[in-house]
Amino acid sequence: MYYLGIDVGGMSIKGALVDKEGVIHYRANIKTEAEKTSEEILQDIKDLCLSLVSEGGIKINALRGIGIGIPGSIDAEEGVIVYSNNINFENVKIVEYLKKTFDCPIKIGNDANVAALGEMKYGSGKGSKNLILVTLGTGVGTGIIVESKILLGKYGAGGEGGHMTLVYNGLPCTCGKKGCWERYASATALIRITEEYSNKYPDSEVAKIIKKEGKISGKTAFIAARNGDKTGAKIVSKYVKYVAEGLISLVNIFRPDCILIGGGVSNEGSYLMKKIERRVSRYSYGGSRNYKVPVKKAELQNDAGMLGAAALCIDN
Amino acid sequence: MYYLGIDVGGMSIKGALVDKEGVIHYRANIKTEAEKTSEEILQDIKDLCLSLVSEGGIKINALRGIGIGIPGSIDAEEGVIVYSNNINFENVKIVEYLKKTFDCPIKIGNDANVAALGEMKYGSGKGSKNLILVTLGTGVGTGIIVESKILLGKYGAGGEGGHMTLVYNGLPCTCGKKGCWERYASATALIRITEEYSNKYPDSEVAKIIKKEGKISGKTAFIAARNGDKTGAKIVSKYVKYVAEGLISLVNIFRPDCILIGGGVSNEGSYLMKKIERRVSRYSYGGSRNYKVPVKKAELQNDAGMLGAAALCIDN
């Protein structure tokens, strides 16, 4: 029994042929051509699925399901992409379209949610029924699993933890509100904070690295901090506080089995995770009287989307 | 078939004899004597249950379940009150104790959670599977229902939405963190804001009402605002923004079918609900593209706890 897991992203569409245990037997990806119409992109996805089957060396009737993760508002029940702001998708009946070619269950989900499911089934969340995957990237994405199921909310509009208010009347967010967590805890925010401090402390190692490399990245402050630079340490500390503060809110609401951190910033590994975990544990409601939520690096990273998408169809 | 619903509060312990449809056939309550030992309070609860059965005129074998709502950290699975800060309860095996007298299912839950269940089954939340009951009182309590079940979190430590951060580095909270939502949206906070404004605007109607009545309450600003007082309107507007801002975070995370507001402040009725709903709708993620979450007054108010407690045993 085989499954396809498709991860539709703004840059590429990744696909994998997966078995029930989450082992990837074959993988392929294509470029996302954002200028294409939704019909053309649907055809690209269909072609990718067909090639995964043929190149993966299985017969099409060995296929037990196709799962697809897509950024944006997804109506999983109806199989419709309600809206996706990176790709030309608005009210696209993707499941109905693929059903014409494939005679197996086809399920869709929001990419962040689906990645959380992947981590729960095959990654750092294995064994947990309740977890939150927080992806620190351009924004802050949250995939929330309650009792082994994705928390969807009405018409799939839930799970937007990045848009909790962290700073009342704070920085304006693209969502129209002010002070959203993602304005402070995303990789974008980390770069902004790094820039502010490097301007303020032009003799710091942070400033020197930026001058030398000609650019600022989410790694800059961490490199400097690990080298003993005070400014780097200050930036990391400020950023950790912002990340942890939003996590504490989520812990107080959900008290999940664990929190997983994904996205480029999570490559800072246990150096970052331990700092975050310490703060979360200290300031969560009830302190040491309550369950201490472990904060771990998401393991599957770029494969989480494909594996989670496939998982939409496994055991369903 | 009858059920008992018991609502243990800091001031009184209320009990009701309830049928499957949530109709209360008999009710009684006793004073909570906080100076008593946990054993004595357990005995009071047992005696209340026995008297509800005998005074309610049913035979003890017609009893199909006893549900109890208790403030604090509740381990529902083990039937243990882990900790309650208003009453002398710490690691109290209440279910085991009552099992000696009653031969029916006995279930316990946190009072805010249980009230949310009551509102879902018999109150303003009827017909919803996903809702949040927010109680604006001394603090801000949240009872969260996902797919018809109370969101408990690990060892029952979830559901503390009042302790989301709303104002980063804001007012210190009793929980040890700063800027919790309940420091801005509770009735206590409303009274504090009213006091600040009345001191600043001593000629306002708000200030006059306070002087006349010799005290400030959660109603003061609303009375003045309804009478056209500008200061009263400013206080209400400020308070509505705080309440709404936390609700927006919850909407972005859960996108529930509806939000119910309970506690004394909710008696301001639709005057308050409409103001809150408008703001929540405007600033929730996706604006008008996404499902607009209705904000309604909780209907059952003081009965929600008893009915929800009984509901723990109904259909289980």
Side-chain angles (χ1 to χ4, degrees):
Chain A
M1 294 200 295
Y2 292 93
Y3 304 84
L4 297 185
I6 309 293
D7 182 7
V8 180
M11 304 295 285
S12 69
I13 303 173
K14 291 179 287 187
L17 178 71
V18 175
D19 66 23
K20 215 178 165 116
E21 276 66 46
V23 178
I24 296 178
H25 290 258
Y26 184 74
R27 61 169 82 215
N29 62 69
I30 56 175
K31 237 185 89 186
T32 310
E33 296 181 62
E35 66 286 0
K36 284 189 176 177
T37 65
S38 64
E39 287 77 18
E40 290 169 324
I41 297 176
L42 284 185
Q43 192 162 347
D44 286 349
I45 292 172
K46 185 186 75 181
D47 292 345
L48 177 64
C49 289
L50 285 170
S51 86
L52 285 166
V53 170
S54 61
E55 302 289 320
I58 66 156
K59 286 191 176 146
I60 198 159
N61 59 11
L63 205 58
R64 287 290 175 278
I66 301 174
I68 306 166
I70 305 144
S73 300
I74 308 300
D75 188 339
E77 218 158 297
E78 298 295 325
V80 174
I81 306 167
V82 179
Y83 175 75
S84 184
N85 56 342
N86 298 315
I87 307 161
N88 269 330
F89 281 147
E90 202 165 335
N91 282 314
V92 173
K93 296 178 181 177
I94 184 169
V95 170
E96 189 181 296
Y97 172 84
L98 292 172
K99 281 271 183 197
K100 290 178 202 155
T101 307
F102 300 95
D103 182 29
C104 64
I106 299 169
K107 305 216 170 186
I108 61 173
N110 166 280
D111 57 348
N113 289 340
V114 153
L117 191 66
E119 290 288 348
M120 181 190 76
K121 283 217 167 180
Y122 308 115
S124 337
K126 231 189 265 183
S128 295
K129 284 179 161 187
N130 296 282
L131 65 81
I132 301 173
L133 169 63
V134 177
T135 305
L136 306 173
T138 313
V140 171
T142 58
I144 302 167
I145 307 281
V146 175
E147 297 291 324
S148 305
K149 282 174 68 180
I150 294 169
L151 179 71
L152 289 172
K154 194 87 169 176
Y155 307 127
E160 293 292 351
H163 296 277
M164 292 187 294
T165 296
L166 187 81
V167 181
Y168 188 75
N169 267 333
L171 296 171
C173 180
T174 52
C175 78
K177 192 165 66 70
K178 285 181 182 171
C180 291
W181 185 31
E182 82 166 30
R183 297 292 287 121
Y184 299 86
S186 59
T188 317
L190 171 58
I191 290 168
R192 185 191 70 233
I193 298 166
T194 306
E195 192 173 12
E196 282 165 16
Y197 274 78
S198 77
N199 290 336
K200 207 169 156 190
Y201 303 100
D203 296 331
S204 64
E205 197 178 325
V206 169
K208 284 174 195 161
I209 295 172
I210 294 169
K211 200 176 269 176
K212 194 179 147 202
E213 299 194 346
K215 67 177 175 68
I216 308 175
S217 82
K219 290 178 192 165
T220 314
F222 284 96
I223 295 169
R226 285 182 209 256
N227 287 342
D229 180 46
K230 270 188 192 171
T231 305
K234 270 185 200 166
I235 299 167
V236 168
S237 161
K238 194 180 177 88
Y239 179 67
V240 162
K241 281 181 191 166
Y242 283 138
V243 173
E245 194 81 6
L247 294 181
I248 293 163
S249 294
L250 292 174
V251 164
N252 290 346
I253 293 169
F254 290 96
R255 193 66 56 157
D257 299 345
C258 60
I259 286 175
L260 309 179
I261 308 287
V265 180
S266 72
N267 289 322
E268 300 302 332
S270 62
Y271 176 82
L272 175 61
M273 300 306 146
K274 286 294 154 213
K275 286 180 196 297
I276 296 174
E277 187 178 80
R278 212 174 303 135
R279 213 172 156 83
V280 169
S281 156
R282 180 165 170 197
Y283 290 104
S284 292
Y285 189 75
S288 59
R289 269 201 306 273
N290 277 332
Y291 173 72
K292 182 180 160 184
V293 179
V295 177
K296 298 189 274 189
K297 186 188 167 190
E299 205 173 87
L300 304 176
Q301 294 288 344
N302 291 332
D303 288 348
M306 292 187 296
L307 288 172
L312 286 172
C313 298
I314 301 175
D315 284 337
N316 272 327
Chain B
M1 292 199 296
Y2 292 93
Y3 304 85
L4 298 184
I6 309 292
D7 182 7
V8 180
M11 304 294 287
S12 69
I13 303 173
K14 291 180 287 187
L17 179 70
V18 175
D19 67 22
K20 214 178 167 115
E21 276 66 46
V23 178
I24 295 178
H25 290 260
Y26 184 75
R27 61 168 83 214
N29 62 67
I30 55 174
K31 238 185 88 185
T32 310
E33 296 180 64
E35 68 285 1
K36 284 189 174 177
T37 66
S38 64
E39 287 76 20
E40 290 167 325
I41 297 176
L42 283 184
Q43 191 161 345
D44 286 349
I45 293 173
K46 185 187 73 180
D47 292 345
L48 176 65
C49 291
L50 285 170
S51 86
L52 284 166
V53 170
S54 60
E55 303 288 319
I58 66 155
K59 286 193 177 144
I60 199 159
N61 59 11
L63 206 59
R64 286 290 175 277
I66 301 173
I68 307 165
I70 305 143
S73 301
I74 307 300
D75 188 338
E77 219 159 296
E78 297 295 325
V80 174
I81 306 166
V82 179
Y83 176 74
S84 184
N85 56 340
N86 297 315
I87 307 161
N88 269 330
F89 281 147
E90 203 166 334
N91 284 313
V92 173
K93 297 177 180 177
I94 184 169
V95 170
E96 190 181 295
Y97 172 83
L98 292 172
K99 281 270 184 197
K100 288 178 204 155
T101 307
F102 299 95
D103 182 29
C104 64
I106 299 168
K107 304 214 172 187
I108 61 172
N110 166 280
D111 57 349
N113 289 340
V114 153
L117 191 67
E119 290 288 349
M120 181 190 78
K121 283 220 168 178
Y122 308 115
S124 335
K126 231 189 264 184
S128 295
K129 283 181 163 185
N130 297 281
L131 65 80
I132 301 173
L133 168 64
V134 177
T135 305
L136 307 173
T138 312
V140 171
T142 58
I144 301 167
I145 307 281
V146 175
E147 298 290 323
S148 305
K149 281 173 69 180
I150 294 169
L151 179 71
L152 288 173
K154 194 88 169 176
Y155 306 127
E160 293 292 349
H163 296 278
M164 294 187 293
T165 296
L166 186 82
V167 180
Y168 188 75
N169 267 335
L171 296 170
C173 181
T174 51
C175 78
K177 193 164 66 69
K178 284 181 183 173
C180 291
W181 186 30
E182 81 164 30
R183 296 292 287 123
Y184 299 86
S186 59
T188 316
L190 171 58
I191 291 168
R192 186 191 68 231
I193 299 166
T194 306
E195 190 173 13
E196 282 166 16
Y197 274 77
S198 77
N199 290 337
K200 207 169 159 191
Y201 303 100
D203 296 329
S204 64
E205 197 179 324
V206 169
K208 284 174 195 161
I209 295 172
I210 295 169
K211 199 174 270 177
K212 194 180 145 200
E213 300 195 345
K215 67 177 176 69
I216 309 176
S217 83
K219 292 178 190 166
T220 314
F222 283 96
I223 294 169
R226 285 183 208 255
N227 287 342
D229 180 46
K230 270 188 190 169
T231 305
K234 269 185 202 166
I235 298 166
V236 168
S237 161
K238 195 180 176 86
Y239 180 67
V240 162
K241 281 181 192 166
Y242 283 137
V243 173
E245 194 80 7
L247 294 180
I248 293 162
S249 294
L250 292 174
V251 164
N252 290 346
I253 294 169
F254 290 97
R255 193 66 58 157
D257 299 345
C258 60
I259 285 176
L260 309 179
I261 308 286
V265 181
S266 73
N267 290 321
E268 300 302 332
S270 62
Y271 175 83
L272 175 61
M273 300 305 146
K274 286 295 155 212
K275 285 181 197 294
I276 295 174
E277 187 178 79
R278 211 174 303 135
R279 213 171 157 84
V280 169
S281 158
R282 180 164 170 200
Y283 289 105
S284 291
Y285 189 74
S288 59
R289 269 201 308 273
N290 277 332
Y291 172 71
K292 183 182 160 184
V293 180
V295 177
K296 299 189 274 190
K297 186 190 167 190
E299 207 172 85
L300 305 176
Q301 295 288 343
N302 290 333
D303 288 348
M306 290 187 298
L307 288 171
L312 286 172
C313 296
I314 301 175
D315 285 335
N316 271 328

Coordinates of all heavy atoms in Angstrom, one line a residue, chain A residues 200-263:
Chain A
K200 N 23.2 50.2 16.2 CA 23.4 50.9 17.5 C 24.8 50.6 18.0 O 25.4 51.4 18.7 CB 22.3 50.3 18.5 CG 22.0 51.2 19.6 CD 20.7 50.7 20.3 CE 20.6 51.2 21.7 NZ 19.5 50.4 22.5
Y201 N 25.3 49.4 17.7 CA 26.6 49.0 18.2 C 27.5 48.6 17.0 O 27.8 47.5 16.7 CB 26.5 47.8 19.1 CG 25.6 48.0 20.3 CD1 24.3 47.6 20.4 CD2 26.1 48.8 21.4 CE1 23.4 47.8 21.4 CE2 25.2 49.0 22.5 CZ 23.9 48.5 22.5 OH 23.1 48.8 23.6
P202 N 28.0 49.7 16.3 CA 28.8 49.4 15.1 C 30.1 48.7 15.3 O 30.7 48.2 14.4 CB 29.0 50.8 14.5 CG 28.8 51.8 15.6 CD 27.8 51.1 16.6
D203 N 30.6 48.7 16.6 CA 31.9 48.0 16.9 C 31.7 46.5 17.3 O 32.6 45.8 17.6 CB 32.6 48.7 18.0 CG 33.0 50.1 17.5 OD1 33.2 50.3 16.3 OD2 33.1 51.0 18.3
S204 N 30.4 46.1 17.4 CA 30.1 44.7 17.8 C 30.5 43.7 16.7 O 30.7 44.1 15.5 CB 28.7 44.6 18.1 OG 27.9 44.8 16.9
E205 N 30.7 42.5 17.1 CA 31.0 41.4 16.1 C 29.8 41.3 15.2 O 30.1 41.0 14.0 CB 31.3 40.1 16.8 CG 32.1 39.2 15.8 CD 32.5 37.9 16.5 OE1 32.8 37.8 17.6 OE2 32.4 36.9 15.7
V206 N 28.6 41.4 15.7 CA 27.4 41.4 14.8 C 27.6 42.3 13.6 O 27.5 41.9 12.5 CB 26.2 41.7 15.6 CG1 25.0 41.9 14.6 CG2 25.8 40.6 16.6
A207 N 28.0 43.6 13.9 CA 28.1 44.6 12.9 C 29.3 44.2 11.9 O 29.2 44.4 10.7 CB 28.4 46.0 13.5
K208 N 30.3 43.6 12.5 CA 31.5 43.2 11.7 C 31.1 42.1 10.7 O 31.5 42.1 9.5 CB 32.7 42.8 12.6 CG 33.4 44.0 13.2 CD 34.4 43.5 14.2 CE 34.9 44.7 15.1 NZ 35.5 44.3 16.3
I209 N 30.4 41.1 11.2 CA 30.0 40.0 10.4 C 29.1 40.5 9.2 O 29.3 40.2 8.0 CB 29.2 38.9 11.2 CG1 30.1 38.3 12.2 CG2 28.6 37.9 10.2 CD1 29.3 37.4 13.2
I210 N 28.2 41.5 9.5 CA 27.3 42.0 8.5 C 28.1 42.7 7.4 O 27.9 42.6 6.2 CB 26.2 42.9 9.1 CG1 25.3 42.1 10.1 CG2 25.4 43.7 8.1 CD1 24.4 43.0 10.9
K211 N 29.1 43.5 7.9 CA 29.9 44.3 7.0 C 30.7 43.3 6.1 O 30.8 43.5 4.9 CB 30.9 45.2 7.8 CG 31.5 46.3 6.9 CD 32.3 47.3 7.8 CE 31.5 48.4 8.4 NZ 32.3 49.3 9.3
K212 N 31.3 42.3 6.7 CA 32.1 41.3 6.0 C 31.3 40.6 4.9 O 31.7 40.4 3.8 CB 32.7 40.4 7.0 CG 33.9 39.5 6.4 CD 34.4 38.6 7.4 CE 34.9 37.3 6.8 NZ 35.0 36.2 7.8
E213 N 30.1 40.1 5.4 CA 29.3 39.2 4.5 C 28.4 40.1 3.5 O 27.8 39.5 2.6 CB 28.4 38.3 5.3 CG 29.3 37.3 6.1 CD 28.5 36.2 6.7 OE1 27.2 36.2 6.6 OE2 29.1 35.2 7.2
G214 N 28.3 41.3 3.8 CA 27.4 42.2 3.0 C 25.9 41.9 3.1 O 25.1 42.5 2.3
K215 N 25.5 41.2 4.1 CA 24.1 40.9 4.3 C 23.8 40.4 5.8 O 24.7 40.0 6.5 CB 23.6 39.9 3.3 CG 24.1 38.5 3.5 CD 23.5 37.5 2.6 CE 24.1 36.1 2.6 NZ 23.8 35.4 3.8
I216 N 22.6 40.6 6.2 CA 22.1 40.1 7.5 C 21.3 38.9 7.3 O 20.5 38.8 6.4 CB 21.3 41.2 8.2 CG1 22.0 42.5 8.2 CG2 20.9 40.7 9.6 CD1 21.1 43.6 8.8
S217 N 21.5 37.9 8.1 CA 20.6 36.7 8.1 C 20.1 36.4 9.5 O 20.6 37.0 10.5 CB 21.3 35.5 7.4 OG 22.1 34.8 8.4
G218 N 19.3 35.4 9.5 CA 18.8 34.9 10.8 C 19.9 34.3 11.7 O 19.8 34.0 12.9
K219 N 21.0 34.0 11.0 CA 22.1 33.3 11.7 C 23.1 34.3 12.3 O 23.8 33.9 13.3 CB 22.9 32.4 10.7 CG 22.2 31.2 10.2 CD 23.1 30.5 9.2 CE 22.3 29.4 8.5 NZ 22.9 28.9 7.3
T220 N 23.2 35.5 11.8 CA 24.2 36.5 12.2 C 24.3 36.6 13.7 O 25.5 36.4 14.2 CB 23.9 37.9 11.5 OG1 23.5 37.7 10.2 CG2 25.0 38.8 11.6
A221 N 23.2 36.9 14.4 CA 23.3 37.1 15.8 C 23.8 35.9 16.6 O 24.5 35.9 17.5 CB 22.0 37.6 16.3
F222 N 23.3 34.7 16.1 CA 23.7 33.5 16.7 C 25.2 33.2 16.6 O 25.9 32.7 17.6 CB 22.9 32.3 16.2 CG 21.5 32.2 16.7 CD1 20.4 32.8 16.0 CD2 21.2 31.7 17.9 CE1 19.1 32.8 16.5 CE2 19.9 31.7 18.4 CZ 18.9 32.2 17.7
I223 N 25.7 33.4 15.4 CA 27.2 33.2 15.2 C 28.0 34.1 16.1 O 28.9 33.7 16.8 CB 27.6 33.5 13.7 CG1 26.9 32.5 12.8 CG2 29.1 33.5 13.5 CD1 27.0 32.9 11.3
A224 N 27.6 35.4 16.2 CA 28.3 36.3 17.1 C 28.2 35.9 18.5 O 29.1 35.9 19.3 CB 27.7 37.7 16.8
A225 N 26.9 35.5 18.9 CA 26.7 35.2 20.3 C 27.5 34.0 20.7 O 28.1 33.9 21.8 CB 25.2 34.9 20.6
R226 N 27.6 33.0 19.9 CA 28.4 31.8 20.2 C 29.9 32.1 20.3 O 30.6 31.4 20.9 CB 28.2 30.7 19.1 CG 26.9 30.0 19.1 CD 26.8 28.9 18.0 NE 25.4 28.7 17.6 CZ 24.8 27.6 17.9 NH1 25.3 26.7 18.7 NH2 23.5 27.4 17.5
N227 N 30.3 33.2 19.6 CA 31.7 33.7 19.7 C 31.9 34.6 20.9 O 33.0 35.2 21.0 CB 32.1 34.4 18.4 CG 32.3 33.4 17.2 OD1 32.4 32.2 17.4 ND2 32.2 34.0 16.0
G228 N 30.9 34.7 21.7 CA 31.1 35.5 22.9 C 30.8 37.0 22.8 O 31.1 37.8 23.7
D229 N 30.2 37.4 21.6 CA 29.9 38.8 21.4 C 28.7 39.2 22.3 O 27.6 38.6 22.2 CB 29.6 39.0 19.9 CG 29.2 40.5 19.6 OD1 29.9 41.4 20.1 OD2 28.2 40.7 18.9
K230 N 28.8 40.3 23.0 CA 27.7 40.7 23.9 C 26.5 41.2 23.1 O 25.4 40.9 23.6 CB 28.2 41.9 24.8 CG 28.9 41.5 26.1 CD 29.1 42.7 26.9 CE 30.0 42.3 28.1 NZ 30.5 43.5 28.9
T231 N 26.7 41.9 22.0 CA 25.6 42.4 21.3 C 24.8 41.2 20.6 O 23.6 41.2 20.7 CB 26.1 43.3 20.1 OG1 26.8 44.4 20.8 CG2 24.9 44.0 19.4
G232 N 25.6 40.2 20.2 CA 24.9 39.0 19.6 C 24.1 38.3 20.7 O 22.9 37.9 20.5
A233 N 24.6 38.3 21.9 CA 23.9 37.6 23.0 C 22.7 38.4 23.4 O 21.6 37.8 23.7 CB 24.8 37.5 24.2
K234 N 22.8 39.7 23.3 CA 21.6 40.6 23.6 C 20.5 40.3 22.6 O 19.3 40.2 23.0 CB 22.0 42.0 23.6 CG 22.4 42.6 24.9 CD 22.7 44.1 24.7 CE 23.6 44.6 25.8 NZ 24.1 45.9 25.6
I235 N 20.8 40.2 21.3 CA 19.8 40.0 20.3 C 19.2 38.6 20.5 O 17.9 38.5 20.5 CB 20.5 40.1 18.9 CG1 21.1 41.4 18.6 CG2 19.5 39.7 17.8 CD1 22.0 41.5 17.4
V236 N 20.0 37.6 20.7 CA 19.5 36.3 20.9 C 18.5 36.3 22.1 O 17.4 35.7 22.1 CB 20.6 35.2 21.1 CG1 20.0 33.9 21.6 CG2 21.4 35.0 19.8
S237 N 18.9 36.9 23.2 CA 18.1 36.9 24.4 C 16.8 37.6 24.2 O 15.7 37.2 24.6 CB 18.9 37.6 25.5 OG 18.0 38.1 26.5
K238 N 16.8 38.8 23.4 CA 15.6 39.5 23.1 C 14.7 38.6 22.3 O 13.5 38.6 22.5 CB 16.0 40.8 22.4 CG 14.8 41.8 22.3 CD 15.3 43.1 21.5 CE 14.2 44.1 21.4 NZ 14.1 45.0 22.5
Y239 N 15.3 38.0 21.3 CA 14.5 37.2 20.4 C 13.9 36.0 21.1 O 12.7 35.6 20.9 CB 15.3 36.7 19.2 CG 14.6 35.8 18.2 CD1 13.6 36.4 17.4 CD2 15.0 34.5 18.0 CE1 12.9 35.6 16.5 CE2 14.3 33.7 17.1 CZ 13.3 34.2 16.3 OH 12.6 33.4 15.4
V240 N 14.7 35.3 21.9 CA 14.2 34.2 22.7 C 13.0 34.6 23.6 O 12.0 33.9 23.6 CB 15.3 33.6 23.6 CG1 14.7 32.7 24.7 CG2 16.3 32.8 22.7
K241 N 13.0 35.8 24.2 CA 11.9 36.2 25.0 C 10.6 36.4 24.2 O 9.6 36.0 24.6 CB 12.3 37.6 25.6 CG 13.2 37.4 26.9 CD 13.5 38.8 27.5 CE 14.6 38.6 28.5 NZ 15.1 39.9 29.0
Y242 N 10.8 36.9 23.0 CA 9.6 37.1 22.1 C 9.0 35.7 21.7 O 7.8 35.5 21.7 CB 9.9 37.9 20.8 CG 10.1 39.3 21.0 CD1 11.1 40.1 20.4 CD2 9.2 40.1 21.8 CE1 11.2 41.4 20.5 CE2 9.3 41.5 21.9 CZ 10.3 42.1 21.3 OH 10.4 43.5 21.5
V243 N 9.9 34.8 21.3 CA 9.4 33.5 20.9 C 8.8 32.8 22.1 O 7.6 32.3 22.0 CB 10.6 32.6 20.4 CG1 10.1 31.2 20.1 CG2 11.2 33.2 19.1
A244 N 9.4 32.8 23.2 CA 8.9 32.1 24.4 C 7.6 32.7 24.9 O 6.7 32.0 25.2 CB 9.9 32.2 25.5
E245 N 7.5 34.0 24.8 CA 6.2 34.7 25.3 C 5.0 34.2 24.6 O 4.0 33.9 25.2 CB 6.4 36.2 25.2 CG 5.3 36.9 26.0 CD 5.7 37.1 27.5 OE1 6.8 36.7 27.9 OE2 4.8 37.6 28.2
G246 N 5.1 34.0 23.3 CA 4.0 33.5 22.5 C 3.7 32.0 22.8 O 2.6 31.6 22.9
L247 N 4.8 31.3 23.0 CA 4.7 29.8 23.3 C 4.0 29.7 24.7 O 3.2 28.8 24.9 CB 6.1 29.2 23.3 CG 6.8 29.1 22.0 CD1 8.1 28.3 22.2 CD2 6.0 28.3 21.0
I248 N 4.3 30.6 25.6 CA 3.7 30.5 27.0 C 2.2 30.6 26.8 O 1.4 29.9 27.4 CB 4.3 31.6 27.9 CG1 5.8 31.2 28.2 CG2 3.5 31.6 29.2 CD1 6.6 32.4 28.7
S249 N 1.8 31.6 26.0 CA 0.3 31.7 25.8 C -0.3 30.4 25.2 O -1.3 30.0 25.7 CB 0.1 32.9 24.8 OG 0.4 34.1 25.3
L250 N 0.4 29.8 24.3 CA -0.1 28.6 23.7 C -0.1 27.4 24.7 O -1.0 26.6 24.8 CB 0.7 28.2 22.5 CG 0.6 29.1 21.3 CD1 1.5 28.7 20.1 CD2 -0.9 29.1 20.7
V251 N 1.0 27.4 25.6 CA 1.0 26.4 26.6 C -0.1 26.6 27.6 O -0.8 25.6 28.0 CB 2.4 26.4 27.4 CG1 2.3 25.7 28.7 CG2 3.5 25.9 26.5
N252 N -0.4 27.8 28.0 CA -1.5 28.1 29.0 C -2.8 27.7 28.4 O -3.7 27.2 29.1 CB -1.5 29.5 29.4 CG -0.3 29.9 30.3 OD1 0.4 29.0 30.8 ND2 0.0 31.2 30.4
I253 N -3.0 27.8 27.1 CA -4.3 27.5 26.4 C -4.3 25.9 26.2 O -5.3 25.3 26.5 CB -4.4 28.2 25.1 CG1 -4.5 29.7 25.3 CG2 -5.6 27.7 24.3 CD1 -4.4 30.5 24.1
F254 N -3.3 25.4 25.7 CA -3.4 24.0 25.2 C -2.7 23.0 26.2 O -3.0 21.8 26.2 CB -2.7 23.8 23.9 CG -3.5 24.4 22.7 CD1 -3.2 25.7 22.3 CD2 -4.6 23.8 22.2 CE1 -3.9 26.3 21.3 CE2 -5.3 24.3 21.2 CZ -5.0 25.6 20.7
R255 N -1.7 23.4 26.9 CA -0.8 22.5 27.7 C -0.6 21.2 26.9 O -1.0 20.1 27.2 CB -1.4 22.2 29.0 CG -0.4 21.5 30.0 CD 0.8 22.4 30.4 NE 0.4 23.6 31.1 CZ 1.2 24.3 31.9 NH1 2.3 23.8 32.2 NH2 0.8 25.5 32.4
P256 N 0.1 21.3 25.7 CA 0.3 20.2 24.8 C 1.4 19.2 25.4 O 2.1 19.6 26.3 CB 0.8 20.8 23.5 CG 1.5 22.0 23.9 CD 0.8 22.5 25.2
D257 N 1.5 18.0 24.8 CA 2.5 17.1 25.2 C 3.9 17.7 24.9 O 4.8 17.5 25.7 CB 2.4 15.8 24.5 CG 1.0 15.1 24.7 OD1 0.4 15.5 25.7 OD2 0.7 14.2 24.0
C258 N 4.0 18.4 23.8 CA 5.3 19.0 23.4 C 5.1 20.1 22.4 O 4.0 20.2 21.8 CB 6.3 17.9 22.9 SG 5.7 17.1 21.4
I259 N 6.1 20.9 22.3 CA 6.1 22.0 21.3 C 7.3 21.7 20.4 O 8.4 21.4 20.9 CB 6.2 23.4 21.9 CG1 4.9 23.8 22.5 CG2 6.7 24.4 20.9 CD1 4.9 25.1 23.3
L260 N 7.1 21.8 19.1 CA 8.1 21.5 18.1 C 8.4 22.8 17.4 O 7.5 23.5 17.0 CB 7.7 20.4 17.1 CG 7.2 19.1 17.8 CD1 6.8 18.1 16.7 CD2 8.3 18.5 18.7
I261 N 9.7 23.1 17.2 CA 10.1 24.3 16.5 C 10.7 24.0 15.1 O 11.6 23.2 15.0 CB 11.1 25.2 17.3 CG1 10.6 25.4 18.7 CG2 11.4 26.5 16.6 CD1 9.5 26.4 18.9
G262 N 10.1 24.5 14.1 CA 10.6 24.3 12.7 C 11.0 25.6 12.1 O 11.0 26.7 12.7
G263 N 11.4 25.5 10.8 CA 11.9 26.7 10.1 C 13.4 26.9 10.2 O 14.0 26.2 11.1

